[in-house]
């Protein structure tokens, strides 16, 4: 708690806003696929999700360049206004006055469009207002806040999504309006865009060519694709594995089958992070980046290998604990390193470039799921070894090159 109050006031406000925003969005976000599938069918739903992912990908690239040209605060104001409009449209489209799933999707598409701008500008502002010494603390607190909010939001979703969706959407609308007000009155600009415009005004292609020439960052960007693939397994291959291979059992008379085991896996992950993130951060505070990132990736990769080879409750619970331990070690070190690798005048562009890692990782993860019918659980475990190594070695090389400067 003392570390929280030592942070820049804008960072403290951002963390509180992060909690409230994540809480509200998590009440509906994870269940909207079910909503689309119910009213539009699986085929259309898959197509809509692809469109949404492409929009976030393209917006992230443009937003990165824009935040360096116009500043962080104007982009954040624009994005919160936009997401409020999207949330309001989705709310109206599920009200007692009017119902239209297609307009609901349009509302969420507008929200995703706005979020792409906001996330890029917000992450750039965090880099502006932190130092190498306190970034790991900030990212640890942020990660804890997000997981705590998701746990509460997911619980509210389970109880209220089906019958009270319009009220959950209204809460998002109000939260986005509140965010706009907070940014307008209490968040100051953290980047001198006027000074940037005096020195150089590169177009978006020139800006990203500049980033591409930064070999240290590109090594870490490459590693981050595979690190993202590891995190993706909870949403991609793990559900397939548990659905097809998990041996159902009973706990106190309650049957635990594949779907419920996945829920338990996620619950174990979230609870451990909430209860022990601060402790792990304290224990690893004197570790080198090589140790923190290398060991974090290795432990998380080992956890997923255990998960893919396991078929019973005990095995999967152990795997969940191992995955979470690696995740808690890795996240603060990796996010802090990413921030340190970004040059001050181009932080927004660097942040935009980093946004491509998740869509690429999602495509590769989906491809592995599609091909898993050929190679099965053992084959996927072998792929996880390769993914883990491709995450570790480029990241360690980037660290060595950075430390040699």
């Amino acid at each position: 708690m003392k570390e929280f109050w030592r942070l820049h006031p804008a960072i403290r406000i951002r963390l509180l806003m992060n909690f409230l925003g994540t809480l509200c969005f998590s009440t509906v976000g994870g269940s909207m696929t079910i909503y689309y599938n119910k009213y539009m069918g699986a085929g259309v739903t898959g197509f809509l999700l692809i469109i949404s992912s492409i929009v976030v990908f393209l917006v992230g690239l443009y937003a990165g360049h824009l935040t360096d040209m116009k500043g962080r605060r104007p982009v954040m104001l624009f994005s919160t206004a936009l997401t409020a409009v999207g949330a309001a449209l989705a709310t109206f489209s599920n009200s007692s006055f009017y119902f239209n799933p297609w307009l609901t999707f349009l509302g969420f598409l507008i929200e995703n469009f706005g979020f792409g701008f906001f996330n890029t500008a917000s992450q750039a502002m965090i880099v502006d207002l932190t130092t190498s010494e306190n970034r790991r603390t900030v990212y640890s607190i942020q990660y804890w806040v997000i997981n705590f909010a998701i746990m509460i939001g997911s619980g509210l979703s389970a109880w209220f999504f089906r019958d009270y969706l319009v009220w959950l959407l209204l809460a998002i609308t109000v939260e986005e309006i509140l965010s706009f007000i907070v940014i307008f009155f209490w968040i100051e600009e953290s980047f001198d865009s006027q000074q940037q415009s005096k020195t150089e005004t590169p177009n978006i292609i020139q800006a990203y060519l500049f980033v591409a020439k930064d070999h240290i960052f590109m090594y870490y960007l490459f590693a981050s694709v595979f690190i993202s693939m590891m995190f993706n397994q909870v949403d991609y291959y793990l559900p397939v594995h548990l659905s097809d291979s998990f041996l159902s059992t009973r706990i106190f008379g309650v049957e635990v089958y594949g779907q419920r085991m996945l829920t338990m896996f996620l619950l174990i992950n979230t609870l451990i992070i909430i209860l022990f993130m601060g402790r792990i951060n304290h224990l690893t505070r004197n570790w080198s980046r090589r140790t923190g990132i290398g060991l974090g990736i290795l432990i998380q990769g080992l956890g997923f290998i255990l998960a893919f080879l396991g078929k019973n409750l005990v095995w999967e619970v152990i795997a969940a604990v191992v995955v979470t331990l690696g995740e808690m070690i890795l996240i603060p070190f990796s996010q802090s390193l990413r921030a340190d690798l970004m040059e001050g005048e181009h932080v927004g562009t660097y942040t935009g470039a980093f946004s491509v890692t998740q869509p690429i990782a999602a495509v590769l993860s989906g491809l592995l799921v599609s091909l898993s019918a050929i190679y099965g659980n053992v084959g996927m475990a072998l792929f996880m070894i390769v993914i883990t190594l491709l995450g570790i070695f480029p990241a360690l090389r980037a660290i060595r090159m950075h430390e040699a400067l």
Side-chain angles (χ1 to χ4, degrees):
M1 185 59 70
K2 292 181 180 179
E3 294 175 331
F4 175 80
W5 291 109
R6 293 194 191 105
L7 299 175
H8 190 283
I11 295 292
R12 297 201 300 266
I13 294 172
R14 276 292 306 118
L15 290 171
L16 293 174
M17 290 170 59
N18 212 339
F19 172 79
L20 185 59
T22 304
L23 171 62
C24 291
F25 275 97
S26 60
T27 61
V28 300
S31 300
M32 287 310 296
T33 301
I34 298 173
Y35 174 95
Y36 296 139
N37 185 59
K38 177 180 178 180
Y39 294 109
M40 304 176 185
V44 173
T45 297
F47 181 68
L48 295 180
L49 294 177
I50 290 172
I51 292 176
S52 183
S53 298
I54 293 174
V55 166
V56 173
F57 168 72
L58 295 176
V59 166
L61 288 175
Y62 180 65
H65 177 64
L66 190 64
T67 56
D68 284 341
M69 296 296 101
K70 303 297 183 181
R72 323 309 191 202
R73 185 172 177 271
V75 175
M76 292 171 69
L77 285 170
F78 167 74
S79 64
T80 49
L82 199 61
T83 50
V85 170
L89 179 60
T91 303
F92 174 73
S93 301
N94 289 272
S95 66
S96 57
F97 308 104
Y98 184 73
F99 177 75
N100 191 321
W102 286 100
L103 276 183
T104 301
F105 170 73
L106 178 60
F108 271 91
L109 192 64
I110 294 172
E111 281 190 68
N112 287 335
F113 190 86
F115 179 75
F117 279 97
F118 183 85
N119 187 54
T120 302
S122 175
Q123 292 302 317
M125 179 173 280
I126 289 177
V127 176
D128 294 338
L129 298 177
T130 56
T131 64
S132 296
E133 290 72 30
N134 68 358
R135 276 182 189 136
R136 200 160 69 87
T137 299
V138 171
Y139 287 124
S140 295
I141 296 173
Q142 179 178 259
Y143 196 63
W144 185 91
V145 164
I146 289 173
N147 276 273
F148 187 46
I150 288 175
M151 183 182 72
I152 298 174
S154 298
L156 293 173
S157 178
W159 285 100
F160 298 112
F161 182 85
R162 188 187 67 177
D163 299 322
Y164 301 98
L165 174 60
V166 65
W167 293 104
L168 299 179
L169 294 172
L170 181 61
I172 295 175
T173 305
V174 173
E175 182 273 328
E176 287 303 309
I177 295 173
L178 179 62
S179 292
F180 180 90
I181 294 172
V182 169
I183 295 170
F184 187 85
F185 287 104
W186 289 289
I187 299 293
E188 297 180 356
E189 180 58 68
S190 63
F191 179 69
D192 187 359
S193 59
Q194 295 299 320
Q195 183 63 34
Q196 168 76 354
S197 63
K198 292 177 183 178
T199 56
E200 55 177 331
T201 54
N203 60 43
I204 189 169
I205 297 177
Q206 291 173 326
Y208 282 106
L209 283 176
F210 174 85
V211 172
K213 294 176 182 178
D214 186 339
H215 299 300
I216 299 176
F217 183 78
M218 293 307 293
Y219 269 114
Y220 189 64
L221 193 72
F222 180 79
S224 296
V225 171
F226 297 97
I227 294 173
S228 294
M229 286 184 69
M230 294 171 60
F231 281 93
N232 282 349
Q233 298 313 308
V234 172
D235 297 317
Y236 284 80
Y237 188 71
L238 185 61
V240 175
H241 164 68
L242 293 177
S243 177
D244 294 342
S245 305
F246 183 74
L247 302 175
S248 298
T249 186
R250 288 186 174 274
I251 302 178
F252 304 114
V254 178
E255 183 182 9
V256 179
Y257 47 87
Q259 179 61 44
R260 286 180 175 171
M261 185 64 243
L262 177 63
T263 302
M264 287 182 62
F265 194 102
L266 296 172
L267 182 61
I268 291 169
N269 175 268
T270 304
L271 285 176
I272 291 177
I273 290 172
I274 291 172
L275 295 175
F276 298 107
M277 186 71 201
R279 182 61 178 169
I280 293 296
N281 193 44
H282 178 75
L283 292 173
T284 61
R285 68 187 185 281
N286 294 322
W287 287 16
S288 68
R289 278 181 173 158
R290 296 184 192 183
T291 301
I293 291 179
L295 193 60
I297 296 173
L298 183 63
I299 293 175
Q300 191 175 19
L302 175 62
F304 279 115
I305 291 170
L306 293 174
F308 297 157
L309 295 177
K311 296 184 178 181
N312 59 55
L313 178 67
V314 174
W315 196 272
E316 296 298 339
V317 168
I318 292 173
V321 173
V322 174
V323 165
T324 307
L325 177 60
E327 185 178 335
M328 289 191 296
I329 294 172
L330 172 62
I331 286 295
F333 282 102
S334 63
Q335 292 187 336
S336 177
L337 173 63
R338 183 185 74 184
D340 286 353
L341 293 179
M342 300 177 182
E343 293 192 15
E345 295 179 356
H346 303 276
V347 169
T349 307
Y350 275 93
T351 304
F354 197 84
S355 69
V356 308
T357 59
Q358 181 54 41
I360 294 174
V363 171
L364 294 175
S365 298
L367 182 62
L368 289 179
V369 171
S370 298
L371 297 176
S372 64
I374 300 174
Y375 48 74
N377 294 328
V378 175
M380 191 61 197
L382 293 175
F383 269 113
M384 278 307 304
I385 295 176
V386 176
I387 291 170
T388 301
L389 295 177
L390 288 173
I392 291 176
F393 288 113
L396 294 182
R397 180 170 175 78
I399 293 172
R400 285 194 297 268
M401 294 172 68
H402 180 63
E403 292 175 346
L405 293 177

